[in-house]
Amino acid sequence: MKIIKGVKISPGVAIGPIYYFERYKFPIPKNYIKPEERDGELVRLKRATTKAASELSRLRELVLVHLDEVHAKMIDAQLMALTDEEVIKEVEAVVQEEQKNVTWAYFDIMTQYEETLEKTLYIYHKERYIDLRDVKKRVIHHLSAEKQYTAPDLTEPSIFVSKRVSPSDMIHIHHVNAIGIITEIGGFDSHSGILARAFRIPYLSNVLEIDKIKSSEQVILDADEEKIILDANKNVMKEYEKHAKQFSISIKKSLRGQAVHESRDGLPFHILLNAGFLSEVESIEPSIVQGIGLFRTEYQCIESNSILDEDDQFEAYSKVIKNMNGLPVTFRTFDFGRDKFIEMLDLEMFHQDQLFDDWGGISFCLENPSLLNSQLRAFLRSSVHGSIQIMLPMVSSVDEVLKCKEILRDVQIELREEGTAFSEEINLGAMIETKDVMEILDDLAREVDFFSIGTNDLSLFLIGSERKSSLIKNHYHPVMFQAISKIVESAKRSQIPVNVCGEMGSDPYALIGLVAVGIRSVSVSSSAIQQVTEVIRNISIREAELIAEKVLSADNTLEIYTMLNKFYKMNVEPDNAEVK
Ligand code: PEP
Ligand code: MG
């Protein structure tokens, strides 16, 4: 029996065979074609290179807008590699003479070039090797019938093992038999982590011995105890089979109960739901929350790998609203960028270059007004089914909000003229999650109806942490509490409500710190609702406020963690608290 340790990203237990996935290994079909298929193969190549070229041209335009001509030239190098006549001729020859299918032929020829360049001593050529590899991936992606960038189907219930898992992989494997996830890299606050918890798939990251696991036939994944067991003996296996069964029964049950509206000392507190799929909304009884505080609309696009058109969005949003039985739903406009991509927007390259960590969110939508216009129309049309609010992600200037308000006004005029019904009572809020916005809080507060704090991204900008880092210590960082207190004060001055919708709100210890510095509303994923409810029900907000000063003057993470942990133990788990 061998035990391998990891870091818990999503709780639960699973037992099953391993499905090892290597992201950039292309499953190249190695079949020979018939002579009559040759022309069709060459047409496929033409189509694939044309698609790749138009993607690269679009990317070039974006690079020019966001960076400069020097960086745009990097794309030119790829465009040249893509249209290199020598390469195309050689591929055609292999297809004609050797009768290899075009994907196989293209792969072989490009790999030969790549290997030659990789071995060269000239830096310039070495750099071209990277360009070639990128172009190869892009063309082969288009040539392949299956989507190569998404994880393939798991044919039986399996534990997915990979170096990392992207949000789109996560959505895909959730639908196809993934019962657990093990990765080398992956963070608690990452979107993949958020999705794993939403889908209730046990997930361990920071696992350094992936190589040992990938060759195992059957493993036990115990995310609760942060371990993976290989070659378990009979007794251990029997014990875990019971756990795994209980876990799979528990995730099928929908969450029921009554929403908590107040703390132990009778002060009001709101607990809202974070969701991105209808299934998440359906998995809870609406009465256990006071509404949806964050609906991540981009998740449905990642799932379908396309931008939903206005009617599809209208239908999806209407279902969510109806499911909430009149409770308010806060829809966030598309928040692409960072680790959330869909192929057609082709944003991954920006991210890989790490040039645009703070890019995306509302600025991307404002650059694509038709996208924003159709989404706002869909929001407004669906508003007749209940109560909605609209929230803007990654806001970094007042100007962005003013522009959105103008577009929203135009959409309202359009709908009135068409005679389409919509609610006139829709609040517009801003997410507070970038560094720049921290400098303009009061000005911004005058322009919006509410603030919602995105602690996942805010910690990235304020502490310089990475979302893919598996540690959650950022939740106890003094800088975070100081920033949140500043946001609360600004919201108070303008008399607008403020909510926390980042993962800090579902961390039971951090939650106490948030309450201490004035937060009275959090929005958390369905998997965290029970625990958050338990904390709020058991703490006195007045008592929590007494530690605010200490939290705000602490100078390190450990000091804050110790303080919050102690408060938690004394109030939420008094039986386990040490008596001194
Ligand atoms: C956040 O950044 O905290 C947040 C809620 O937004 P997302 O996780 O979707 O980026
Ligand atoms: Mg965010």
Side-chain angles (χ1 to χ4, degrees):
M1 206 158 85
K2 178 167 172 53
I3 301 215
I4 292 175
K5 299 296 285 177
V7 173
K8 175 168 73 177
I9 302 294
S10 175
V13 171
I15 304 173
I18 290 298
Y19 185 98
Y20 180 66
F21 176 60
E22 224 169 330
R23 165 162 285 273
Y24 288 119
K25 230 176 185 171
F26 303 114
I28 305 296
K30 301 224 163 147
N31 61 298
Y32 292 95
I33 52 162
K34 296 186 193 121
E36 64 269 25
E37 289 172 335
R38 282 183 210 150
D39 289 351
E41 285 295 276
L42 299 180
V43 170
R44 288 209 308 122
L45 178 64
K46 180 88 196 136
R47 265 207 307 263
T49 50
T50 309
K51 273 190 192 159
S54 82
E55 282 172 358
L56 284 171
S57 307
R58 199 169 57 229
L59 206 54
R60 192 185 192 286
E61 281 165 25
L62 284 169
V63 168
L64 263 185
V65 172
H66 290 280
L67 283 172
D68 51 30
E69 186 65 35
V70 176
H71 287 85
K73 287 221 162 71
M74 285 166 20
I75 313 279
D76 289 340
Q78 292 199 14
L79 274 164
M80 268 165 65
L82 182 67
T83 49
D84 189 323
E85 280 185 16
E86 254 334 280
V87 174
I88 304 285
K89 266 193 208 146
E90 285 179 48
V91 176
E92 284 176 358
V94 173
V95 173
Q96 302 278 10
E97 289 152 28
E98 298 178 33
Q99 276 148 43
K100 287 181 173 173
N101 73 67
V102 76
T103 313
W104 186 7
Y106 188 80
F107 178 82
D108 278 359
I109 298 293
M110 289 297 271
T111 306
Q112 280 166 24
Y113 274 105
E114 236 179 87
E115 282 170 0
T116 315
L117 288 177
E118 196 186 7
K119 284 187 201 123
T120 171
L121 293 174
Y122 298 107
I123 290 285
Y124 169 74
H125 286 141
K126 270 202 188 304
E127 282 169 2
R128 278 215 59 206
Y129 143 74
I130 312 263
D131 288 331
L132 272 197
R133 204 183 48 185
D134 226 69
V135 166
K136 179 172 88 174
K137 278 194 282 189
R138 205 174 274 279
V139 172
I140 287 184
H141 166 66
H142 288 299
L143 276 172
S144 308
E146 311 92 336
K147 293 188 193 102
Q148 303 297 344
Y149 286 150
T150 52
D153 292 357
L154 281 59
T155 48
E156 59 176 331
S158 315
I159 295 172
F160 181 86
V161 180
S162 189
K163 193 173 173 78
R164 56 165 67 86
V165 55
S166 71
S168 57
D169 292 338
M170 185 66 82
I171 293 169
H172 181 72
I173 61 175
H174 156 64
H175 288 303
V176 289
N177 280 326
I179 53 169
I181 295 159
I182 298 171
T183 64
E184 203 174 288
I185 302 166
F188 187 86
D189 290 349
S190 69
H191 288 101
S192 302
I194 292 169
L195 283 165
R197 292 192 290 280
F199 298 147
R200 313 269 175 97
I201 308 179
Y203 174 13
L204 272 193
S205 81
N206 251 37
V207 178
L208 301 177
E209 295 171 280
I210 293 276
D211 280 347
K212 291 203 177 105
I213 301 166
K214 72 184 190 198
S215 48
S216 304
E217 276 183 15
Q218 180 96 345
V219 303
I220 297 171
L221 165 61
D222 181 351
D224 298 333
E225 296 290 324
E226 303 197 306
K227 64 184 179 193
I228 298 152
I229 307 173
L230 311 181
D231 308 321
N233 64 36
K234 264 192 188 158
N235 289 345
V236 170
M237 186 54 90
K238 227 173 169 179
E239 198 50 37
Y240 268 102
E241 275 166 0
K242 267 194 267 166
H243 284 326
K245 202 165 171 191
Q246 277 163 359
F247 176 70
S248 76
I249 295 170
S250 75
I251 58 175
K252 286 189 189 105
K253 283 193 191 149
S254 73
L255 272 180
R256 289 164 193 282
Q258 213 45 49
V260 163
H261 300 274
E262 52 181 46
S263 57
R264 196 184 76 214
D265 56 337
L267 294 186
F269 195 92
H270 290 259
I271 301 173
L272 304 154
L273 174 72
N274 281 354
F277 300 99
L278 184 63
S279 57
E280 285 175 271
V281 179
E282 286 170 342
S283 75
I284 66 153
E285 206 170 78
S287 62
I288 69 164
V289 288
Q290 284 153 296
I292 294 182
L294 163 62
F295 192 88
R296 292 179 164 101
T297 55
E298 65 280 359
Y299 278 4
Q300 289 174 322
C301 298
I302 297 173
E303 184 176 35
S304 61
N305 199 20
S306 64
I307 303 274
L308 268 55
D309 68 18
E310 182 188 322
D311 285 342
D312 288 345
Q313 288 184 53
F314 165 69
E315 211 171 294
Y317 305 152
S318 300
K319 281 187 189 155
V320 171
I321 300 167
K322 285 180 193 163
N323 245 278
M324 292 308 288
N325 290 342
L327 291 169
V329 177
T330 306
F331 287 110
R332 179 172 75 181
T333 55
F334 293 134
D335 183 18
F336 293 114
R338 300 169 331 277
D339 62 348
K340 286 178 289 191
F341 316 108
I342 58 175
E343 282 160 31
M344 67 170 285
L345 292 177
D346 219 343
L347 299 169
E348 195 150 5
M349 179 168 166
F350 288 85
H351 184 70
Q352 280 171 352
D353 284 356
Q354 304 216 318
L355 298 169
F356 297 108
D357 261 353
D358 59 349
W359 180 74
I362 195 58
S363 67
F364 177 77
C365 288
L366 283 167
E367 277 160 25
N368 292 274
S370 61
L371 200 75
L372 187 56
N373 179 282
S374 62
Q375 185 165 42
L376 293 177
R377 282 182 59 95
F379 286 154
L380 262 61
R381 284 172 58 199
S382 63
S383 66
V384 292
H385 298 300
S387 152
I388 76 161
Q389 305 199 105
I390 298 174
M391 180 155 89
L392 310 175
M394 303 295 284
V395 170
S396 57
S397 71
V398 176
D399 208 38
E400 284 169 341
V401 172
L402 295 178
K403 279 190 191 138
C404 285
K405 282 170 113 175
E406 204 179 305
I407 298 174
L408 188 60
R409 266 194 301 272
D410 289 347
V411 167
Q412 289 173 328
I413 294 170
E414 241 169 59
L415 291 174
R416 269 187 219 110
E417 282 173 3
E418 286 169 22
T420 306
F422 65 92
S423 163
E424 301 275 351
E425 309 286 315
I426 298 178
N427 286 335
L428 182 74
M431 283 194 69
I432 307 298
E433 53 179 349
T434 66
K435 200 171 187 170
D436 291 347
V437 86
M438 289 302 296
E439 307 303 319
I440 52 161
L441 289 170
D442 284 355
D443 292 339
L444 187 67
R446 281 190 281 276
E447 293 300 335
V448 293
D449 301 305
F450 64 94
F451 279 167
S452 191
I453 309 175
T455 55
N456 308 337
D457 280 308
L458 192 62
S459 64
L460 187 105
F461 298 121
L462 295 185
I463 314 170
S465 64
E466 285 192 73
R467 279 182 87 135
K468 60 178 184 276
S469 139
S470 62
L471 304 173
I472 56 171
K473 62 179 190 307
N474 301 330
H475 294 177
Y476 319 116
H477 200 294
V479 165
M480 286 304 287
F481 289 103
Q482 287 154 16
I484 290 164
S485 166
K486 190 173 158 190
I487 300 165
V488 168
E489 291 311 314
S490 170
K492 261 190 206 155
R493 280 192 290 277
S494 292
Q495 298 184 327
I496 58 168
V498 57
N499 169 58
V500 167
C501 63
E503 295 304 293
M504 223 173 135
S506 34
D507 177 325
Y509 309 137
L511 175 62
I512 292 167
L514 292 175
V515 172
V517 300
I519 291 296
R520 297 292 175 264
S521 170
V522 292
S523 190
V524 300
S525 74
S526 56
S527 60
I529 287 172
Q530 261 174 334
Q531 193 172 31
V532 167
T533 304
E534 183 74 1
V535 173
I536 297 303
R537 199 182 268 145
N538 283 292
I539 64 166
S540 148
I541 288 183
R542 291 184 186 90
E543 282 174 17
E545 279 175 340
L546 297 177
I547 61 167
E549 222 169 279
K550 272 195 189 163
V551 169
L552 293 172
S553 59
D555 41 37
N556 66 62
T557 303
L558 184 63
E559 200 180 326
I560 295 187
Y561 174 79
T562 312
M563 202 179 336
L564 300 178
N565 183 283
K566 186 171 163 204
F567 193 99
Y568 176 89
K569 293 261 154 66
M570 304 277 288
N571 292 278
V572 188
E573 284 182 354
D575 295 344
N576 295 335
E578 268 177 49
V579 181
K580 290 204 174 153

